[in-house]
Coordinates of all heavy atoms in Angstrom, one line a residue:
M1 N 0.8 -3.4 -1.4 CA -0.7 -3.0 -1.2 C -1.0 -1.9 -2.0 O -0.3 -0.9 -2.1 CB -0.9 -2.7 0.2 CG -2.4 -2.7 0.5 SD -2.8 -2.4 2.3 CE -3.5 -0.8 2.2
T2 N -2.0 -1.8 -2.7 CA -2.5 -0.7 -3.5 C -3.4 0.2 -2.7 O -4.4 -0.5 -2.1 CB -3.2 -1.3 -4.8 OG1 -2.3 -2.1 -5.4 CG2 -3.6 -0.2 -5.7
I3 N -3.2 1.3 -2.7 CA -4.1 2.3 -2.1 C -4.9 3.0 -3.3 O -4.3 3.6 -4.1 CB -3.3 3.4 -1.3 CG1 -2.5 2.6 -0.1 CG2 -4.4 4.4 -0.6 CD1 -1.6 3.5 0.6
R4 N -6.1 2.9 -3.2 CA -6.9 3.6 -4.1 C -7.2 5.1 -3.7 O -7.5 5.4 -2.5 CB -8.5 2.9 -4.3 CG -8.8 3.0 -5.7 CD -10.2 2.1 -5.9 NE -11.0 3.0 -6.6 CZ -12.1 3.4 -6.1 NH1 -12.7 3.1 -5.0 NH2 -12.9 4.4 -6.8
L5 N -6.9 6.0 -4.6 CA -7.1 7.3 -4.2 C -8.3 8.0 -5.0 O -8.6 7.7 -6.2 CB -5.8 8.1 -4.8 CG -4.5 7.6 -4.1 CD1 -3.3 8.3 -4.7 CD2 -4.5 7.8 -2.5
V6 N -8.9 8.9 -4.3 CA -10.0 9.6 -4.9 C -9.6 11.1 -4.8 O -8.9 11.6 -3.9 CB -11.3 9.3 -4.3 CG1 -11.7 7.9 -4.6 CG2 -11.3 9.6 -2.8
F7 N -10.3 12.0 -5.7 CA -10.0 13.3 -5.7 C -11.3 14.1 -5.4 O -12.3 13.7 -5.9 CB -9.5 13.7 -7.1 CG -8.3 13.0 -7.5 CD1 -8.4 12.0 -8.4 CD2 -7.1 13.2 -6.9 CE1 -7.3 11.2 -8.8 CE2 -5.9 12.4 -7.3 CZ -6.1 11.5 -8.2
G8 N -11.1 15.2 -4.8 CA -12.4 16.0 -4.5 C -11.9 17.3 -4.1 O -10.9 17.6 -3.6
R9 N -12.8 18.3 -4.4 CA -12.5 19.7 -3.9 C -13.7 20.3 -3.2 O -14.9 19.9 -3.5 CB -12.1 20.6 -5.1 CG -13.2 20.8 -6.1 CD -12.7 21.7 -7.2 NE -13.6 21.5 -8.4 CZ -13.4 22.0 -9.6 NH1 -12.1 22.5 -9.9 NH2 -14.2 21.8 -10.6
P10 N -13.6 21.3 -2.5 CA -14.8 21.9 -1.7 C -15.7 22.4 -2.6 O -15.3 22.9 -3.8 CB -14.1 23.0 -0.9 CG -12.8 22.6 -0.7 CD -12.3 21.8 -2.0
L11 N -17.1 22.2 -2.4 CA -18.1 22.7 -3.2 C -18.1 24.2 -3.2 O -17.7 24.8 -2.3 CB -19.4 22.3 -2.7 CG -19.9 20.7 -3.0 CD1 -21.0 20.3 -2.2 CD2 -20.0 20.6 -4.5
P12 N -18.6 24.8 -4.4 CA -18.6 26.3 -4.4 C -19.4 26.8 -3.3 O -20.5 26.2 -2.9 CB -19.4 26.5 -5.7 CG -19.2 25.2 -6.5 CD -19.1 24.2 -5.5
G13 N -19.0 27.8 -2.6 CA -19.7 28.5 -1.5 C -19.3 27.9 0.0 O -19.6 28.5 0.9
T14 N -18.6 26.8 -0.1 CA -18.2 26.2 1.3 C -17.0 26.9 1.7 O -16.6 27.0 2.9 CB -18.0 24.7 1.3 OG1 -17.1 24.4 0.3 CG2 -19.3 24.0 1.0
V15 N -16.1 27.3 0.8 CA -14.8 28.1 1.1 C -14.6 29.1 0.0 O -15.3 29.1 -1.0 CB -13.6 27.1 1.1 CG1 -13.7 26.0 2.2 CG2 -13.4 26.5 -0.3
G16 N -13.7 29.9 0.2 CA -13.3 30.9 -0.8 C -12.9 30.2 -2.1 O -12.3 29.2 -2.0
E17 N -13.1 30.9 -3.2 CA -12.8 30.4 -4.5 C -11.2 29.9 -4.5 O -10.9 29.0 -5.2 CB -13.1 31.4 -5.6 CG -13.5 30.9 -6.9 CD -14.3 29.6 -7.0 OE1 -15.4 29.6 -6.2 OE2 -14.2 28.8 -7.8
T18 N -10.4 30.7 -3.9 CA -9.0 30.4 -4.0 C -8.6 29.2 -3.2 O -7.5 28.6 -3.4 CB -8.1 31.6 -3.5 OG1 -8.5 31.9 -2.1 CG2 -8.2 32.8 -4.3
R19 N -9.5 28.7 -2.3 CA -9.1 27.5 -1.5 C -9.9 26.3 -2.1 O -9.8 25.2 -1.4 CB -9.6 27.8 0.0 CG -8.8 28.9 0.6 CD -9.2 29.0 2.1 NE -9.2 27.7 2.9 CZ -9.8 27.5 4.0 NH1 -10.7 28.5 4.3 NH2 -9.8 26.4 4.5
R20 N -10.5 26.4 -3.3 CA -11.1 25.3 -3.8 C -10.2 24.5 -4.6 O -10.3 24.3 -5.9 CB -12.3 25.7 -4.7 CG -13.5 26.3 -4.0 CD -14.7 26.5 -4.8 NE -15.1 25.2 -5.3 CZ -15.5 24.9 -6.6 NH1 -15.3 25.8 -7.5 NH2 -15.8 23.6 -6.9
V21 N -9.1 24.0 -3.9 CA -8.0 23.1 -4.6 C -8.5 21.7 -4.5 O -9.4 21.3 -3.7 CB -6.7 23.4 -4.0 CG1 -6.2 24.8 -4.2 CG2 -6.7 23.1 -2.5
V22 N -7.9 20.9 -5.3 CA -8.3 19.5 -5.4 C -7.4 18.8 -4.4 O -6.1 18.8 -4.5 CB -8.1 19.0 -6.9 CG1 -8.4 17.5 -6.9 CG2 -8.8 19.7 -7.8
H23 N -8.1 18.1 -3.4 CA -7.4 17.3 -2.3 C -7.5 15.8 -2.8 O -8.3 15.4 -3.6 CB -8.1 17.5 -1.1 CG -8.0 18.9 -0.6 ND1 -6.9 19.4 0.1 CD2 -8.9 19.8 -0.6 CE1 -7.2 20.7 0.4 NE2 -8.4 21.0 0.0
V24 N -6.5 15.1 -2.2 CA -6.4 13.6 -2.5 C -6.8 13.0 -1.2 O -6.4 13.3 -0.1 CB -5.0 13.4 -2.9 CG1 -4.9 11.8 -3.3 CG2 -4.5 14.1 -4.1
F25 N -7.6 11.9 -1.4 CA -8.2 11.0 -0.4 C -7.9 9.7 -0.6 O -7.8 9.2 -1.7 CB -9.6 11.3 -0.3 CG -10.1 12.7 0.1 CD1 -10.2 13.6 -1.1 CD2 -10.3 13.2 1.3 CE1 -10.7 14.9 -0.9 CE2 -10.7 14.5 1.4 CZ -10.9 15.4 0.3
E26 N -7.7 8.9 0.5 CA -7.6 7.5 0.4 C -9.1 7.0 0.3 O -9.9 7.4 1.1 CB -7.0 6.9 1.5 CG -5.5 6.7 1.5 CD -4.8 6.0 2.6 OE1 -5.5 5.0 3.1 OE2 -3.8 6.3 3.0
A27 N -9.4 6.2 -0.7 CA -10.8 5.7 -0.8 C -11.2 4.9 0.3 O -10.4 4.1 0.9 CB -10.9 4.9 -2.1
P28 N -12.3 5.2 0.9 CA -12.7 4.4 2.1 C -12.9 3.0 1.7 O -13.3 2.6 0.6 CB -14.1 5.1 2.5 CG -14.3 6.3 1.6 CD -13.2 6.1 0.4
T29 N -12.5 2.1 2.7 CA -12.7 0.6 2.4 C -14.0 0.2 3.1 O -14.3 0.8 4.0 CB -11.4 -0.2 2.9 OG1 -11.2 0.1 4.2 CG2 -10.2 0.3 2.0
G30 N -14.5 -0.9 2.7 CA -15.7 -1.4 3.3 C -17.0 -0.8 2.7 O -16.8 0.1 1.8
D31 N -18.1 -1.2 3.3 CA -19.3 -0.7 2.7 C -19.9 0.5 3.3 O -20.7 1.2 2.7 CB -20.4 -1.9 2.9 CG -20.0 -3.1 2.1 OD1 -19.3 -2.9 1.0 OD2 -20.4 -4.1 2.6
E32 N -19.4 0.9 4.5 CA -19.9 2.0 5.1 C -19.3 3.3 4.5 O -18.1 3.5 4.2 CB -19.6 2.0 6.6 CG -20.5 1.0 7.3 CD -20.2 1.1 8.9 OE1 -19.9 2.2 9.4 OE2 -20.3 0.0 9.5
V33 N -20.2 4.3 4.4 CA -19.7 5.7 4.0 C -19.3 6.4 5.2 O -20.2 6.6 6.1 CB -20.8 6.5 3.2 CG1 -20.3 7.7 2.8 CG2 -21.2 5.6 2.0
P34 N -18.1 6.9 5.3 CA -17.7 7.6 6.5 C -18.3 9.0 6.6 O -18.7 9.6 5.7 CB -16.2 7.6 6.3 CG -15.9 7.5 4.8 CD -17.0 6.6 4.4
E35 N -18.5 9.4 7.9 CA -19.2 10.7 8.0 C -18.2 11.9 7.6 O -18.7 12.8 7.0 CB -19.4 10.9 9.5 CG -20.8 10.6 9.9 CD -21.2 10.8 11.4 OE1 -20.8 11.9 11.9 OE2 -21.7 10.0 12.0
R36 N -17.0 11.6 7.8 CA -16.1 12.7 7.3 C -14.9 12.1 6.5 O -14.6 10.8 6.9 CB -15.5 13.4 8.5 CG -16.5 14.2 9.2 CD -15.8 15.2 10.2 NE -15.1 16.3 9.6 CZ -15.9 17.4 9.2 NH1 -17.2 17.4 9.4 NH2 -15.3 18.4 8.6
L37 N -14.4 12.7 5.6 CA -13.2 12.2 4.8 C -12.1 13.2 5.0 O -12.3 14.3 5.2 CB -13.6 12.3 3.3 CG -14.2 11.2 2.6 CD1 -14.5 11.5 1.1 CD2 -13.5 9.9 2.9
T38 N -10.9 12.6 5.4 CA -9.7 13.4 5.6 C -8.8 13.3 4.5 O -8.4 12.2 4.1 CB -9.0 12.9 6.9 OG1 -10.1 13.0 8.0 CG2 -7.9 13.8 7.3
A39 N -8.4 14.4 3.9 CA -7.5 14.5 2.8 C -6.1 14.1 3.3 O -5.8 14.1 4.6 CB -7.5 15.7 2.2
L40 N -5.1 13.7 2.4 CA -3.8 13.4 2.8 C -3.2 14.6 3.5 O -2.2 14.4 4.2 CB -3.0 13.0 1.5 CG -3.6 11.8 0.7 CD1 -2.6 11.4 -0.4 CD2 -3.7 10.5 1.6
C41 N -3.5 15.8 3.1 CA -2.9 17.0 3.9 C -3.4 17.2 5.2 O -3.0 18.1 6.0 CB -3.1 18.2 3.0 SG -4.9 18.7 2.9
G42 N -4.5 16.4 5.6 CA -5.1 16.6 7.0 C -6.3 17.3 7.1 O -7.0 17.3 8.1
L43 N -6.9 17.9 6.0 CA -8.1 18.6 6.0 C -9.3 17.6 6.1 O -9.1 16.7 5.4 CB -8.2 19.6 4.9 CG -7.4 21.0 5.0 CD1 -7.7 21.9 3.7 CD2 -7.8 21.7 6.2
S44 N -10.1 18.0 6.8 CA -11.3 17.0 6.8 C -12.6 17.6 6.3 O -12.9 18.8 6.7 CB -11.4 16.6 8.4 OG -12.6 15.8 8.6
F45 N -13.4 16.8 5.7 CA -14.7 17.4 5.1 C -15.8 16.4 5.4 O -15.6 15.1 5.5 CB -14.4 17.3 3.5 CG -13.3 18.3 3.1 CD1 -12.1 17.7 2.9 CD2 -13.7 19.6 2.8 CE1 -11.0 18.5 2.5 CE2 -12.6 20.5 2.4 CZ -11.3 20.0 2.3
G46 N -16.9 17.1 5.6 CA -18.2 16.3 6.0 C -18.9 16.1 4.7 O -18.7 16.6 3.7
A47 N -20.1 15.5 4.9 CA -21.0 15.2 3.8 C -21.6 16.5 3.3 O -21.8 17.5 4.0 CB -22.2 14.4 4.3
G48 N -21.6 16.7 2.0 CA -22.1 17.9 1.3 C -21.2 18.9 1.2 O -21.5 20.0 0.9
E49 N -19.9 18.7 1.6 CA -18.8 19.7 1.4 C -17.9 19.5 0.4 O -17.1 20.4 -0.1 CB -18.0 19.8 2.7 CG -18.9 20.2 3.9 CD -18.0 20.4 5.2 OE1 -16.9 19.8 5.3 OE2 -18.4 20.9 6.2
L50 N -18.1 18.4 -0.4 CA -17.0 18.0 -1.3 C -17.6 17.7 -2.6 O -18.7 17.2 -2.8 CB -16.3 16.8 -1.0 CG -15.1 16.8 -0.1 CD1 -14.5 15.5 0.2 CD2 -14.0 17.8 -0.7
E51 N -16.9 18.1 -3.8 CA -17.4 17.7 -5.0 C -16.3 16.6 -5.5 O -15.1 16.9 -5.5 CB -17.2 18.9 -6.0 CG -17.3 18.7 -7.5 CD -16.9 19.9 -8.3 OE1 -16.4 20.9 -7.8 OE2 -17.2 19.9 -9.4
R52 N -16.8 15.5 -5.8 CA -16.0 14.4 -6.2 C -15.6 14.5 -7.6 O -16.3 14.8 -8.5 CB -16.6 13.0 -6.0 CG -15.7 12.0 -6.2 CD -16.2 10.7 -5.9 NE -15.2 9.6 -6.3 CZ -15.3 8.3 -6.2 NH1 -16.4 7.9 -5.5 NH2 -14.4 7.5 -6.5
L53 N -14.2 14.3 -7.9 CA -13.7 14.4 -9.2 C -13.2 13.0 -9.6 O -12.7 12.3 -9.0 CB -12.5 15.4 -9.3 CG -12.9 16.8 -8.8 CD1 -11.7 17.7 -8.8 CD2 -13.9 17.5 -9.8
D54 N -13.3 12.8 -11.0 CA -12.9 11.5 -11.5 C -11.4 11.5 -11.7 O -10.9 10.4 -11.8 CB -13.5 11.1 -12.9 CG -15.1 11.0 -12.8 OD1 -15.5 10.5 -11.6 OD2 -15.9 11.3 -13.7
A55 N -10.8 12.6 -11.8 CA -9.4 12.6 -12.0 C -8.9 13.9 -11.4 O -9.7 14.8 -11.1 CB -9.1 12.7 -13.5
L56 N -7.6 14.1 -11.3 CA -7.0 15.2 -10.7 C -7.0 16.3 -11.8 O -6.2 16.2 -12.7 CB -5.6 14.9 -10.2 CG -4.9 15.9 -9.4 CD1 -5.8 16.5 -8.3 CD2 -3.5 15.4 -8.8
R57 N -7.8 17.3 -11.7 CA -7.8 18.4 -12.6 C -8.2 19.7 -11.8 O -8.7 19.6 -10.7 CB -8.8 18.2 -13.8 CG -10.3 17.9 -13.3 CD -11.1 17.5 -14.6 NE -12.2 16.6 -14.1 CZ -13.4 17.1 -13.9 NH1 -13.7 18.3 -13.8 NH2 -14.3 16.2 -13.5
G58 N -7.8 20.7 -12.3 CA -7.9 22.0 -11.6 C -6.6 22.2 -10.7 O -5.7 21.4 -11.0
M59 N -6.7 23.1 -9.9 CA -5.5 23.5 -9.1 C -5.5 22.4 -7.9 O -6.4 22.2 -7.1 CB -5.8 24.8 -8.4 CG -4.6 25.3 -7.5 SD -3.1 25.5 -8.4 CE -3.3 27.3 -8.9
P60 N -4.3 21.6 -7.9 CA -4.2 20.6 -6.9 C -3.6 21.3 -5.5 O -3.1 22.3 -5.5 CB -3.2 19.7 -7.4 CG -2.4 20.6 -8.4 CD -3.2 21.7 -8.7
C61 N -4.1 20.5 -4.4 CA -3.6 21.0 -3.2 C -2.2 20.4 -3.0 O -1.8 19.2 -3.2 CB -4.4 20.2 -2.1 SG -3.6 20.4 -0.4
E62 N -1.2 21.3 -2.9 CA 0.2 21.0 -2.9 C 0.6 20.0 -1.8 O 1.4 19.1 -1.9 CB 1.1 22.1 -2.9 CG 1.2 22.9 -4.3 CD 2.2 23.9 -4.2 OE1 3.3 23.9 -3.6 OE2 2.0 25.0 -5.0
S63 N 0.0 20.3 -0.6 CA 0.3 19.4 0.6 C -0.2 18.0 0.2 O 0.5 16.9 0.6 CB -0.4 20.0 1.7 OG 0.1 21.2 2.1
C64 N -1.4 17.8 -0.4 CA -1.8 16.4 -0.7 C -0.9 15.8 -1.7 O -0.5 14.6 -1.6 CB -3.2 16.6 -1.4 SG -4.5 16.6 -0.1
L65 N -0.4 16.6 -2.7 CA 0.4 16.1 -3.8 C 1.7 15.6 -3.2 O 2.2 14.4 -3.5 CB 0.8 17.1 -4.8 CG -0.3 17.3 -5.9 CD1 0.3 18.2 -6.9 CD2 -0.8 16.0 -6.4
H66 N 2.3 16.3 -2.2 CA 3.5 15.9 -1.6 C 3.3 14.6 -0.8 O 4.4 13.8 -0.5 CB 4.0 16.9 -0.6 CG 4.7 18.1 -1.4 ND1 5.7 18.0 -2.3 CD2 4.3 19.5 -1.4 CE1 5.9 19.2 -2.7 NE2 5.2 20.1 -2.2
R67 N 2.1 14.2 -0.4 CA 1.9 13.0 0.5 C 1.3 12.0 -0.3 O 1.1 10.9 0.2 CB 0.9 13.4 1.6 CG 1.5 14.4 2.7 CD 0.4 14.9 3.7 NE 1.1 15.6 4.8 CZ 1.4 16.9 4.7 NH1 1.2 17.6 3.6 NH2 2.0 17.5 5.7
T68 N 1.1 12.1 -1.6 CA 0.6 11.1 -2.4 C 1.6 10.0 -2.6 O 2.8 10.3 -2.9 CB 0.1 11.7 -3.8 OG1 -0.9 12.6 -3.6 CG2 -0.5 10.5 -4.6
P69 N 1.4 8.8 -2.3 CA 2.4 7.7 -2.2 C 3.2 7.6 -3.7 O 4.4 7.8 -3.6 CB 1.6 6.5 -2.1 CG 0.3 6.8 -1.5 CD 0.1 8.2 -1.9
T70 N 2.6 7.5 -4.7 CA 3.3 7.3 -6.0 C 2.5 8.2 -7.1 O 1.6 7.8 -7.6 CB 3.4 5.9 -6.5 OG1 2.1 5.4 -6.5 CG2 4.3 5.1 -5.7
P71 N 2.9 9.4 -7.1 CA 2.1 10.4 -7.9 C 2.3 9.9 -9.4 O 3.4 9.5 -9.8 CB 2.8 11.7 -7.8 CG 3.8 11.6 -6.6 CD 3.9 10.1 -6.4
D72 N 1.3 9.9 -10.1 CA 1.2 9.5 -11.5 C 1.3 10.7 -12.3 O 0.2 11.4 -12.4 CB 0.0 8.7 -11.8 CG 0.0 8.1 -13.2 OD1 0.8 8.7 -14.1 OD2 -0.6 7.1 -13.5
P73 N 2.4 11.1 -13.0 CA 2.5 12.3 -13.7 C 1.5 12.5 -14.8 O 1.0 13.6 -15.1 CB 3.9 12.3 -14.4 CG 4.6 11.0 -13.9 CD 3.6 10.3 -13.0
E74 N 1.1 11.4 -15.3 CA 0.0 11.4 -16.4 C -1.3 11.9 -15.9 O -2.0 12.7 -16.5 CB -0.2 10.0 -17.0 CG 0.9 9.5 -17.8 CD 0.6 8.1 -18.3 OE1 -0.4 7.5 -18.0 OE2 1.4 7.7 -19.2
L75 N -1.6 11.6 -14.7 CA -2.9 12.0 -14.0 C -2.8 13.5 -13.7 O -3.6 14.2 -13.8 CB -3.2 11.3 -12.7 CG -3.7 9.8 -13.0 CD1 -4.0 9.2 -11.7 CD2 -5.0 9.9 -13.8
I76 N -1.6 13.9 -13.2 CA -1.3 15.3 -12.8 C -1.5 16.2 -14.1 O -2.0 17.2 -14.0 CB 0.0 15.4 -12.1 CG1 -0.1 14.8 -10.8 CG2 0.4 17.0 -11.9 CD1 1.2 14.6 -10.1
D77 N -1.0 15.7 -15.2 CA -1.1 16.5 -16.4 C -2.5 16.5 -16.9 O -2.8 17.3 -17.7 CB -0.1 16.0 -17.4 CG 1.3 16.3 -17.0 OD1 1.6 17.3 -16.3 OD2 2.3 15.7 -17.6
G78 N -3.4 15.5 -16.5 CA -4.7 15.5 -17.1 C -4.7 15.1 -18.5 O -5.8 15.2 -19.1
V79 N -3.7 14.3 -18.9 CA -3.8 13.9 -20.3 C -3.8 12.4 -20.4 O -3.8 11.8 -21.4 CB -2.5 14.4 -21.1 CG1 -2.5 15.9 -21.2 CG2 -1.3 13.8 -20.4
A80 N -4.0 11.7 -19.2 CA -4.1 10.2 -19.3 C -5.3 9.7 -19.9 O -6.4 10.1 -19.7 CB -4.0 9.8 -17.8
E81 N -5.0 8.6 -20.7 CA -6.1 7.9 -21.3 C -6.5 6.8 -20.3 O -5.6 6.4 -19.6 CB -5.7 7.3 -22.6 CG -5.4 8.3 -23.7 CD -6.7 8.9 -24.2 OE1 -7.7 8.2 -24.5 OE2 -6.7 10.1 -24.5
P82 N -7.8 6.4 -20.3 CA -8.2 5.4 -19.4 C -7.4 4.1 -19.8 O -7.2 3.8 -21.0 CB -9.6 5.2 -19.7 CG -10.1 6.4 -20.2 CD -9.0 7.0 -20.9
R83 N -6.8 3.4 -18.7 CA -6.1 2.2 -19.0 C -6.9 1.1 -19.5 O -8.0 0.9 -19.0 CB -5.3 1.8 -17.8 CG -4.3 2.8 -17.4 CD -3.1 2.2 -16.7 NE -2.1 3.3 -16.5 CZ -1.9 3.9 -15.3 NH1 -2.6 3.6 -14.3 NH2 -0.9 4.8 -15.3
R84 N -6.5 0.3 -20.4 CA -7.4 -0.7 -21.0 C -6.7 -2.0 -20.6 O -5.6 -2.1 -20.5 CB -7.4 -0.7 -22.5 CG -8.2 0.5 -22.9 CD -8.0 0.7 -24.4 NE -8.0 2.1 -24.8 CZ -9.0 2.9 -25.0 NH1 -10.3 2.4 -24.9 NH2 -8.9 4.2 -25.3
Ligands
ZN1 ZN1 -5.1 18.7 0.5

């Protein structure tokens, strides 16, 4: 089974700048937008607290990285070309 992952970090002003690391989330399934998203590391974010990122860039959350099922080194390096 494929798990779709999305990346997000806290919006500026919601936490200290040093805590604005990029967390990894399992993409919600279904049509409903959940009230809260819980990162793989266990931190939970509500609406308006997250900046969604298209790729993993910036400082990653190490706890999330350790829990990511199959880390893609290309994405972590930020040099990946879109797959065709
Ligand atoms: Zn995290």
Side-chain angles (χ1 to χ4, degrees):
M1 189 180 115
T2 301
I3 300 172
R4 217 177 129 238
L5 298 175
V6 294
F7 308 104
R9 69 179 163 196
L11 283 168
T14 58
V15 295
E17 210 41 44
T18 55
R19 291 181 56 207
R20 289 191 65 227
V21 294
V22 179
H23 296 280
V24 183
F25 303 83
E26 274 185 35
T29 55
D31 295 332
E32 285 186 33
V33 178
E35 263 181 49
R36 297 191 73 81
L37 277 179
T38 303
L40 298 184
C41 67
L43 284 181
S44 177
F45 298 90
E49 292 180 348
L50 274 181
E51 169 188 14
R52 185 171 172 178
L53 302 172
D54 294 332
L56 187 50
R57 56 189 151 90
M59 180 68 85
C61 168
E62 285 189 29
S63 296
C64 278
L65 280 189
H66 286 302
R67 290 171 172 81
T68 302
T70 48
D72 187 338
E74 290 180 351
L75 285 179
I76 292 170
D77 288 340
V79 295
E81 293 287 318
R83 295 211 171 99
R84 293 170 220 272

